Amino acid sequence: MKLSTDNIDMTRGIPWQRILWFSFPLILANLFQELYSVTDSAIVSRFSGLNALAAIGGTGWVRSAFLRICMDCSTAFSIAASQRVGAGNWDGFRKVMAEGIKFSFMLSGGLIGIMVPLTDIVLEILQIQPDIYKDARLYLLLMTFAIPLSVAYNMTCAFLRASGDSRTSFRAILLSSIVNIVLDLLFVAAFGWGVAGAAAATIAAQMLSVVIVLKAAIRDEHYRIPRVYWKRENTILKEMARLWIPMFGNSVAISAGGVIAQRPVNASGAIVAAGIGVGVRIYCLLEAAEKAVASGIGVFVGQNMGAGQYGNIRRGMKSMAVFSMVFSLAVMSVLLLANDWLILLFMNKAQPYDDLQVAVTSAKVYLSVQAFSIFLMVPMHFFRSALQAMGHVVYPLIGAFLQVAARTLTVMFLPAYFGLAGLCMPDGTSALVTLPVVVIPYLIYIRNLQNTKAG
């Protein structure tokens, strides 16, 4: 069965060209996806003030945990699916997809069922300050009830990517980003709904993106699942458990580390938290391209594992190691040279002057620290994605627990020596301890695979 024109065979051609060509629509999609998060923050800050911005930013790591769990779940199914695509096993692809759909319903219900009764406890753990508590609680609850949309979108896109289709997600995000910006201006700027308006705009945009990707999947014969494939497949369930359980643990550990790092930021007050939140939004916008390439690497490695093209994997990852350094240098230049202009896009000059200065300074410090940390984070993400796609998901899990330790120790000790910069260092220190844990096993396993094939 041939792939459609939207699908890319990652087992043929020059590896780095295939990865980047496949990743390009994902880069655009991620940029637009981050753009509507940035739009939320910028419009809320300008029209509702820094406290409203702090309410959104203060719960960022919890919302990131939802997204990370959804993405890791979909990634596990995508790894299994891409390997079957590489082997030309479309019956197996459909069986994996059927199990993924059933799992999506259970995951959505489980996350909402756990999160809703624990909302107040989570906000207390995050040390959300009293002056922003009400807005933070409302925003977090609204985004919790939107989890099924995130699960549906990520799972559908995972299967589309597994078969080489990275364009559909770009179309979905492009249109939903436009809708989000328009609705943000309407709900927040015109109607004055504050954080509730920002949440409503995001949810409406997510609904549109889900409709677009589901429509594309339903129209393609590769994604039509006959009734016989809906029977429980114990072999696939065991394979998914082997992949997903460590990845879930990875998500929980990284998210826990993020919460630990966010607590002292929130405790520093709404203005400092808002400033760092602005820095996070700017950094995430620039990081969007790297995340897309990491997804492309996962599909590339998965398809080539299924096809037994281990030499392709090695050549591709060598090229991506070089690309990671070039990309990091470009991002560092932007973060250091254009941070004033970028930060002021988020600021409402009607705010009290002292508050404005504190927020701007906090954002600049965060971006300056990230400008150097990115040289560790990008290669760590690339090799982690490759290792997961090879089926070795335990090492990223080990790395995640090391990240928790690194983040905890960083916020406990470094602020005493480096002040505000110490609060901004957890990402860099966590990447530092994780990088060797994913690079060294990758090098060992790829060499063993090539030697086994040669023998």
Side-chain angles (χ1 to χ4, degrees):
M1 188 180 293
K2 293 183 178 180
L3 296 173
S4 72
T5 54
D6 273 347
N7 301 89
I8 298 174
D9 186 347
M10 304 280 273
T11 64
R12 302 174 183 272
I14 300 172
W16 69 267
Q17 290 181 352
R18 283 297 189 186
I19 293 172
L20 293 182
W21 181 252
F22 175 84
S23 300
F24 183 69
L26 293 179
I27 290 172
L28 296 177
N30 281 4
L31 285 172
F32 278 102
Q33 191 167 31
E34 287 298 336
L35 181 62
Y36 72 62
S37 293
V38 167
T39 302
D40 280 346
S41 299
I43 293 176
V44 166
S45 176
R46 282 181 171 270
F47 294 97
S48 299
L50 289 174
N51 277 7
L53 179 61
I56 293 176
T59 61
W61 267 103
V62 178
R63 291 179 286 110
S64 176
F66 296 159
L67 180 60
R68 192 180 297 277
I69 290 170
C70 295
M71 290 182 68
D72 280 350
C73 170
S74 62
T75 297
F77 283 92
S78 180
I79 290 169
S82 64
Q83 289 176 356
R84 285 161 174 79
V85 171
N89 180 8
W90 288 101
D91 286 338
F93 174 83
R94 291 190 180 94
K95 290 178 181 178
V96 171
M97 189 161 60
E99 295 299 333
I101 293 170
K102 289 185 283 186
F103 190 82
S104 295
F105 284 100
M106 292 187 291
L107 179 65
S108 298
L111 288 175
I112 292 175
I114 291 171
M115 189 59 210
V116 170
L118 295 178
T119 297
D120 290 310
I121 296 174
V122 169
L123 293 173
E124 289 177 13
I125 292 172
L126 285 168
Q127 293 190 329
I128 298 296
Q129 299 301 295
D131 52 345
I132 62 171
Y133 191 93
K134 183 178 179 181
D135 278 346
R137 187 178 191 278
L138 175 61
Y139 192 82
L140 184 57
L141 278 173
L142 289 173
M143 298 313 296
T144 297
F145 285 110
I147 285 175
L149 296 174
S150 184
V151 173
Y153 175 79
N154 281 286
M155 187 65 78
T156 306
C157 286
F159 288 116
L160 290 170
R161 287 195 300 268
S163 64
D165 178 3
S166 58
R167 299 180 187 179
T168 299
S169 59
F170 166 63
R171 299 186 193 114
I173 291 298
L174 175 61
L175 292 174
S176 62
S177 296
I178 294 171
V179 168
N180 186 79
I181 292 171
V182 172
L183 292 181
D184 263 331
L185 290 170
L186 181 64
F187 295 162
V188 180
F191 294 171
W193 291 354
V195 297
T202 298
I203 292 170
Q206 287 180 338
M207 291 177 64
L208 177 62
S209 64
V210 170
V211 170
I212 292 171
V213 295
L214 285 177
K215 186 176 180 181
I218 292 170
R219 286 183 171 181
D220 194 316
E221 60 179 325
H222 295 98
Y223 309 101
R224 295 172 190 165
I225 309 174
R227 184 177 300 176
V228 66
Y229 293 133
W230 289 101
K231 295 179 180 178
R232 189 173 70 178
E233 292 282 345
N234 290 331
T235 302
I236 291 176
L237 289 174
K238 289 178 182 177
E239 181 182 356
M240 291 301 98
R242 181 180 61 82
L243 288 171
W244 184 69
I245 290 175
M247 293 177 75
F248 175 76
N250 177 70
S251 297
V252 172
I254 291 176
S255 299
V259 170
I260 289 170
Q262 185 68 42
R263 278 169 51 84
V265 171
N266 290 340
S268 299
I271 304 303
V272 171
I276 292 178
V278 166
V280 171
R281 291 269 57 89
I282 293 170
Y283 175 75
C284 287
L285 182 62
L286 297 174
E287 188 190 33
E290 173 255 318
K291 290 180 179 179
V293 176
S295 295
I297 287 170
V299 175
F300 168 80
V301 173
Q303 286 194 12
N304 280 279
M305 284 291 292
Q309 299 289 341
Y310 307 130
N312 271 352
I313 296 174
R314 189 166 197 166
R315 288 190 291 274
M317 290 308 298
K318 282 184 178 180
S319 300
M320 289 301 100
V322 175
F323 175 82
S324 72
M325 293 299 103
V326 175
F327 176 81
S328 298
L329 183 61
V331 172
M332 182 183 74
S333 301
V334 174
L335 292 179
L336 293 180
L337 299 177
N339 55 20
D340 283 321
W341 177 76
L342 291 170
I343 291 167
L344 289 176
L345 290 176
F346 290 81
M347 298 300 172
N348 181 353
K349 294 182 180 179
Q351 290 281 143
Y353 179 78
D354 289 343
D355 288 350
L356 194 62
Q357 289 301 109
V358 170
V360 169
T361 299
S362 301
K364 290 184 70 171
V365 170
Y366 175 84
L367 292 177
S368 297
V369 172
Q370 295 299 86
F372 295 96
S373 299
I374 194 169
F375 286 93
L376 298 169
M377 289 187 283
V378 175
M380 185 269 288
H381 290 149
F382 283 7
F383 282 94
R384 184 175 68 187
S385 181
L387 200 59
Q388 288 174 333
M390 293 168 73
H392 299 291
V393 293
V394 173
Y395 296 101
L397 176 61
I398 295 171
F401 283 105
L402 289 175
Q403 286 190 32
V404 173
R407 289 178 184 277
T408 302
L409 293 173
T410 298
V411 298
M412 284 178 61
F413 298 108
L414 294 191
Y417 296 96
F418 299 102
L420 182 59
L423 284 179
C424 303
M425 289 181 180
D427 285 347
T429 57
S430 64
L432 177 64
V433 299
T434 307
L435 186 58
V437 176
V438 293
V439 172
I440 294 172
Y442 161 79
L443 294 174
I444 293 171
Y445 283 116
I446 194 64
R447 184 183 61 188
N448 291 343
L449 285 171
Q450 287 192 290
N451 290 342
T452 301
K453 187 174 182 179

